[in-house]
Structure formats: structure tokens, C-alpha cells
Amino acid sequence: CGRRPPDHPRSTTFDNSSVDQLIVRFPDAPEARAARQLRAEIRAHVADSLRAVAEQGLEKGNLQAARRALEQLKADWSDTPAARRLPSLMARLERAERVAEQQREAERKRAEEARARAGSQLELLDWRWSRSYGYAIAEGRVKNISGQRLENVVAEVTWYDRSGGFITADEALISLNPILPGQASTFKVIAVWNPEMNSASISFKKLFGSSIPTYRPSR
């Protein structure tokens, strides 16, 4: 009839609910004490494993794995001995994440600058402007990074007031004409001083022609 024989051996495995019932109903029974001890050992083992995963992730730079392990340790195993190292491990992780973010940001900037430089013909090495004897004088250096000679390169400077409003603009040929590949040239642009002058911008172009793409390194 398909019934289990009366002398069939009872299963020796328990699910969690069975273990919980055993511990609650018979707390002083040897089986309950053994179950509690076994459960504590399992929890300690799992927590130690999570701590080891976090430490390995920190050592090898796998910060995502380290964070997952530490967050799980904090959420589910905070009562285990392994959790005592949570504060120090979290501090290490946060420091490592900050360093990694700084490295990613630096790499992003390097990549952006490399793209900007690759698409430029000139590199602005340095420049400044100041007032001198009733004139605004802008001067600096520019380098030819195009791989070809550039003729009649003009530096154009525009001055603005405190609110960013246009005041005036002036221009002048750079000192070298032509400027050969790899050469650097000085330039100087002079305009009549205006008391409202507060800031200035610079660009380069061909004489009677189009603008010249210019790379401006971040300082």
C-alpha cells in the first residue's frame, strides 16, 4: 500500500525550524545544548569566512568583494567574534575606496587631456596679463605640437569686466613666423588700459583665417 514500514530509521537531519523547536522546548536537553553549540560554531565559521574574504579583497584591490563581505558581516553576523574587526576593516575599506576614486579621477583627467592634446595644433605653455603705464599687456609662450609648420599665427586676447561683460580685444602675431614643429614662441598683446578690466581670455588663429585648436594643460 506504499506505507513506510514501522521500523524505518528516522532521519538524522533537521531543518532550522526543527532545531529552533528543539532548543525552545527542551533547552536543557543534551541535543539542544549540542544544537546551540553547533549553531554557534557554524555562525563563527561563516563570519570568519566573510572576514577573510574582506581582508583578501582589501589586499588584492577587489574592493567590491570586500564591501559586500563586510556589509553582510555587519548585517547578519554582528554578534560573532569576527565582527569585532568590523570598525578597523571598514576604515581600511573606506580609505582604499577614496584612494581608488582619486586614481580614477586622475586617470579620467589624463585621458581627457590626452584627447584634447591629440586634437590640437598649439599648446599654450604659459601666459599672464598685467597693467603697465596705461596699457594692458598680455604675454606668454606657445608651442607648435601639430607636426607641421604654422605661418602667421596670431594671439588674440579679450578683456572682460567683473560681470564677464566684454570690454575690448586686441591681437598680435607671435614672435616666430613660421613656427616649426616642436618650436616654442613668445607672444605679446597690448591694449589700452581700462579701469573696468578684471579678467582676460586668449585664443590663437591664423592671420585673416580660422582659429587654431589649442591645448591648455590643467595646472
Side-chain angles (χ1 to χ4, degrees):
C1 61
R3 292 183 179 179
R4 177 179 295 174
D7 58 346
H8 186 81
R10 182 178 296 177
S11 172
T12 57
T13 61
F14 296 92
D15 59 21
N16 286 335
S17 61
S18 298
V19 173
D20 291 339
Q21 292 175 17
L22 174 64
I23 293 173
V24 171
R25 295 182 62 184
F26 309 101
D28 298 325
E31 293 84 357
R33 290 195 296 270
R36 285 195 296 270
Q37 181 178 354
L38 179 60
R39 176 171 290 179
E41 291 174 356
I42 292 173
R43 288 182 62 79
H45 175 72
V46 173
D48 285 340
S49 298
L50 289 170
R51 176 189 53 77
V53 168
E55 290 178 338
Q56 186 177 38
L58 288 169
E59 291 295 330
K60 296 187 176 182
N62 190 348
L63 302 184
Q64 290 183 344
R67 176 162 287 281
R68 285 195 299 268
L70 290 178
E71 288 179 348
Q72 187 174 354
L73 182 62
K74 180 180 180 181
D76 300 326
W77 313 93
S78 59
D79 59 338
T80 61
R84 296 171 187 166
R85 299 194 59 187
L86 263 172
S88 61
L89 289 174
M90 286 298 294
R92 283 181 58 190
L93 175 63
E94 289 168 359
R95 287 195 299 269
E97 288 176 335
R98 287 195 296 269
V99 170
E101 178 60 30
Q102 291 169 356
Q103 291 173 343
R104 287 193 295 269
E105 181 64 17
E107 181 61 30
R108 184 188 64 79
K109 289 182 178 179
R110 284 193 294 269
E112 286 182 354
E113 291 198 359
R115 288 193 294 269
R117 197 176 194 279
S120 299
Q121 293 181 299
L122 294 173
E123 178 179 352
L124 181 61
L125 300 178
D126 58 72
W127 83 290
R128 60 186 177 83
W129 71 277
S130 60
R131 175 186 179 183
S132 180
Y133 299 104
Y135 293 93
I137 301 176
E139 52 191 337
R141 296 179 303 140
V142 67
K143 182 178 181 180
N144 181 354
I145 59 172
S146 70
Q148 60 186 359
R149 60 188 283 160
L150 300 175
E151 298 182 352
N152 300 321
V153 175
V154 172
E156 182 177 37
V157 179
T158 303
W159 280 269
Y160 308 91
D161 59 22
R162 289 185 179 277
S163 62
F166 172 83
I167 293 179
T168 189
D170 220 315
E171 61 186 42
L173 286 168
I174 64 174
S175 300
L176 293 182
N177 189 19
I179 180 172
L180 302 180
Q183 283 187 329
S185 174
T186 60
F187 61 86
K188 180 181 288 188
V189 179
I190 301 174
V192 176
W193 173 255
N194 185 308
E196 294 297 314
M197 286 178 172
N198 182 69
S199 62
S201 64
I202 187 168
S203 60
F204 296 88
K205 64 180 184 179
K206 298 176 182 178
L207 185 64
F208 308 119
S210 58
S211 62
I212 300 176
T214 303
Y215 168 61
R216 305 159 190 262
S218 59
R219 303 301 183 188

